[in-house]
Amino acid sequence: MTNPNNILTDSFGREHTYLRISLTELCNLRCTYCMPAEGIQLSPRSHIMNFDEIYSIAKTFVDHGVTKIRLTGGEPLVRRDVDVILKKLASLPVELSMTTNAVIVDRYIDLLKECNIMNLNVSLDSLDAVKFKEITRRNDFEKVIKNMHLLIQEGFNIKLNAVLIKDFNDNEIIDFINLSKDLPISVRFIEFMPFDGNKWDKAKMVSYAEVMEKVNSSFDVSKVIRLQDAPNDTSKNYKIEGYKGSFAIISSVTNPFCDSCNRIRLTANGRLKNCLFSAGESDLLTPLRQGKDITPMIQKAVHSKLKIRGGMDTMEKLEAPDLHGKNRSMITIGG
């Protein structure tokens, strides 16, 4: 039952209980779908939230009903004061999780455990070292694979996120699923989405239907089990009978999950995005620094959320560069 008086309830009755906070625009990888080849104009350091500001804004959201916070970047672990941030946020009555590329996560195992951050999304778009270097523009494949196994050994719950791009890594779908045979992980295939500078093209996208076509032609259909999705889940979940892990498809483009969306995003420079696809943002950091109450700004931002994909409710609109080209690069939004 939605509460219309809650500042986190939008005009369609959706309650936003899940906040994603980007800790930094910096990253130690340069993934092509996330960052333009020429790089990005970073926010001045003075425009980035400090740890007290992150905590203050997060607490406001938790006080109004947020029950889950995911920390993203860039790469959140490259931030120098990440230990201070995690410990402060861990004091809130909220479930903490993180998205990481796992390049340096081995250095932070103890910190993550101390802060009870046991749910990690690891970004990995290819199981081939050459392709990994091509898409990340870095040579850290072996390190990521080693750290993924280390996280599993240390008891972390791992979701492996792979952005699918046609004629690049779509021939690895079955290889990814077979990872879940002996590893207790959830492999999640993400449809390629449009952001500024990532040269999005519908023809590069691998749809939910195409993934399932490959799955059903590679496995006995009777052994492909449809799992029950969690409330507000962005993914359609499956497993192969007898496999330890599972796989899922996040079909933001072809089958958007907007009706049940409970997510809202805070960028590293303190701006609230009510939808990943929307170019609109609300500045929370400036009024916070002025000592103002930010709840009216939050309420206005949430209430103005559009019904589907930031207003891009047709494929024609989604393909219009003048619409999605106004959005940030993914690295400055937060993965």
Side-chain angles (χ1 to χ4, degrees):
M1 188 73 173
T2 59
N3 177 7
N5 297 317
N6 188 328
I7 69 164
L8 299 182
T9 300
D10 68 15
S11 61
F12 301 97
R14 296 173 294 197
E15 287 192 31
H16 294 76
T17 57
Y18 183 4
L19 175 66
R20 299 173 75 107
I21 303 176
S22 174
L23 300 186
T24 179
E25 296 174 356
L26 300 174
C27 190
N28 44 6
L29 299 182
R30 293 290 182 273
C31 297
T32 56
Y33 57 81
C34 184
M35 178 184 285
E38 64 276 12
I40 60 165
Q41 181 65 49
L42 294 172
S43 299
R45 188 172 180 181
S46 61
H47 292 196
I48 299 295
M49 296 181 293
N50 64 37
F51 56 80
D52 282 323
E53 291 161 345
I54 292 171
Y55 174 80
S56 179
I57 295 176
K59 186 177 186 304
T60 300
F61 276 95
V62 172
D63 288 345
H64 287 281
V66 160
T67 58
K68 180 177 179 179
I69 293 176
R70 174 171 294 280
L71 303 174
T72 69
E75 167 53 45
L77 294 175
V78 302
R79 182 155 169 161
R80 291 181 181 177
D81 58 353
V82 68
D83 58 331
V84 179
I85 295 170
L86 297 194
K87 289 174 184 177
K88 287 180 76 73
L89 293 178
S91 70
L92 294 172
V94 68
E95 177 194 333
L96 282 180
S97 58
M98 180 181 287
T99 296
T100 176
N101 58 35
V103 173
I104 58 173
V105 73
D106 52 305
R107 306 176 197 171
Y108 296 94
I109 298 287
D110 292 341
L111 174 66
L112 293 170
K113 287 184 176 181
E114 179 185 346
C115 297
N116 199 30
I117 301 176
M118 299 303 294
N119 296 322
L120 298 177
N121 285 8
V122 174
S123 302
L124 179 64
D125 301 306
S126 179
L127 298 174
D128 177 275
V130 175
K131 283 187 187 178
F132 177 93
K133 185 175 182 180
E134 182 180 342
I135 201 163
T136 65
R137 306 183 181 113
R138 293 294 184 270
N139 194 25
D140 291 315
F141 176 75
E142 296 299 336
K143 197 179 296 184
V144 171
I145 295 295
K146 182 180 178 181
N147 282 341
M148 179 187 72
H149 284 280
L150 175 63
L151 289 169
I152 294 168
Q153 291 166 16
E154 292 289 338
F156 289 87
N157 304 312
I158 303 300
K159 292 179 179 176
L160 200 64
N161 288 349
V163 174
L164 291 178
I165 300 174
K166 192 163 287 184
D167 298 326
F168 178 74
N169 61 352
D170 55 330
N171 64 337
E172 296 186 67
I173 289 172
I174 304 306
D175 293 334
F176 269 110
I177 292 174
N178 282 333
L179 268 185
S180 72
K181 182 177 183 180
D182 298 314
L183 298 177
I185 61 175
S186 172
V187 177
R188 307 197 310 168
F189 301 113
I190 302 172
E191 289 181 344
F192 183 38
M193 294 182 284
F195 297 101
D196 181 36
N198 74 352
K199 296 181 172 64
W200 186 80
D201 181 347
K202 180 184 173 184
K204 294 181 182 179
M205 190 186 69
V206 183
S207 70
Y208 168 60
E210 289 172 304
V211 174
M212 290 311 299
E213 185 179 338
K214 283 182 180 286
V215 170
N216 291 328
S217 64
S218 301
F219 295 97
D220 181 338
V221 176
S222 67
K223 295 186 182 299
V224 180
I225 302 168
R226 180 73 164 96
L227 300 176
Q228 180 68 46
D229 301 329
N232 306 114
D233 213 335
T234 59
S235 57
K236 296 175 176 63
N237 296 273
Y238 297 83
K239 75 174 294 162
I240 305 301
E241 184 180 313
Y243 280 29
K244 284 186 178 180
S246 60
F247 71 95
I249 304 154
I250 300 176
S251 50
S252 310
V253 177
T254 61
N255 292 276
F257 36 81
C258 305
D259 286 349
S260 61
C261 182
N262 68 335
R263 293 156 175 76
I264 196 160
R265 294 169 180 268
L266 181 66
T267 64
N269 63 345
R271 292 178 176 270
L272 196 63
K273 286 183 71 74
N274 63 17
C275 175
L276 181 58
F277 285 91
S278 174
E281 302 176 351
S282 302
D283 181 9
L284 299 185
L285 185 56
T286 299
L288 180 76
R289 288 178 173 177
Q290 294 170 344
K292 296 179 181 177
D293 179 9
I294 61 173
T295 54
M297 294 83 165
I298 294 172
Q299 184 171 28
K300 183 179 179 181
V302 171
H303 200 264
S304 65
K305 184 169 182 171
L306 297 174
K307 189 173 183 180
I308 298 176
R309 286 188 307 224
M312 291 183 282
D313 52 1
T314 66
M315 190 57 72
E316 288 72 29
K317 289 181 183 178
L318 198 65
E319 292 182 79
D322 60 320
L323 291 179
H324 66 68
K326 293 176 184 175
N327 202 355
R328 291 174 177 234
S329 300
M330 188 63 190
I331 191 168
T332 64
I333 295 174

